[in-house]
Amino acid sequence: MAKQSKRFREAQGLIEDGKFYTAEEAVALVKKTATAKFDETIELHVRLGVDPKYADQQVRGAIVLPNGIGKTKRVLAFAEGEKAAEAQAAGADYVGSADLAAKIQGGWFDFDVAVATPDMMRVIGRLGKLLGPRGLMPNPKLGTVTPDIAKAISEQKAGKVEYRTDKQGNIHCPIGKKSFEDDKLKENYQTLIDTLIRVKPAAAKGQYIKSITLAAAMGPGVPIQI
């Protein structure tokens, strides 16, 4: 086990052992534990009572958080013709089709999210093995394959985030930065929690939300009351 730094131990000392905090308390406290010399990302970790090995218990989707996440995403758009012009007007950082696919096949991944019009799947279908493991493959279920390419780009620029259960049924998702005002972090937090409750799989039995933890990227977790 890696040795904890003095900074981490001091931050952990701010958290009362065995206590579960309200969301408001947790937001204020997690900002105090974010003592790194940069504007740390604040992350929400939720353990769900699902078994992701079953398709009907997987939880996955994407939402636009009301206050963004404090990061400007580099958006790549696969589009041609009029749709390419729409993508450029919407603020896409890279726009193209076969030319971009060739760059990616050559090892280029200098972007944060990829969106595409449906007709471009013929071009990017063969990129699945490269983009999939990196979480960059456009997906209709996430709104990143759509005829409305301009809307998809605008949402990504506004702070759209993807949530997805890992193999243990946990969700890990950024909800902002330390520099955010408390109420904005709380609003983003509540939006994500409400969304997870709304998309609860019908096949999930028993307690659905098992634990909620808020943490700075380099700090300890703050447990929240369920």
Side-chain angles (χ1 to χ4, degrees), residues 6 14 27 70 79 81 101 114 117 127 131 142 151 154 157 165 198 220:
K6 179 181 178 182
L14 299 174
V27 165
T117 52
L127 300 176
L131 298 179
L142 301 177
K151 179 182 178 182
S154 297
K157 290 290 187 179
T165 45
R198 190 178 70 250

Side-chain angles (χ1 to χ4, degrees), residues 53-167:
K53 71 180 180 182
Y54 297 108
D56 61 356
Q57 292 192 48
Q58 293 176 1
V59 177
R60 183 180 186 185
I63 58 170
V64 178
L65 294 177
N67 302 298
I69 57 172
K71 176 183 178 181
T72 301
K73 292 182 181 179
R74 297 166 298 173
V75 180
L76 180 153
F78 287 102
E80 293 179 336
E82 291 183 4
K83 292 298 181 181
E86 290 178 17
Q88 290 176 330
D93 299 276
Y94 310 101
V95 182
S97 55
D99 55 329
L100 291 179
K103 286 185 67 175
I104 290 169
Q105 287 179 314
W108 177 75
F109 300 98
D110 194 22
F111 54 95
D112 300 304
V113 63
V115 299
T117 52
D119 61 307
M120 285 291 98
M121 295 307 292
R122 59 181 169 78
V123 174
I124 63 177
R126 61 181 180 273
L127 300 176
K129 291 183 179 180
L130 296 172
L131 298 179
R134 293 175 170 83
L136 296 172
M137 187 67 180
N139 187 320
K141 293 182 179 179
L142 301 177
T144 47
V145 177
T146 172
D148 196 347
I149 196 78
K151 179 182 178 182
I153 293 165
S154 297
E155 287 181 341
Q156 293 296 335
K157 290 290 187 179
K160 192 171 190 177
V161 295
E162 179 183 349
Y163 56 87
R164 182 180 187 179
T165 45
D166 61 18
K167 292 181 180 179

Side-chain angles (χ1 to χ4, degrees), residues 64-70 158-159 175-176 180 183-188:
V64 178
L65 294 177
N67 302 298
I69 57 172
I175 63 166
F180 278 28
D183 59 341
K184 290 186 176 180
L185 280 173
K186 172 61 167 54
E187 187 178 12
N188 281 355

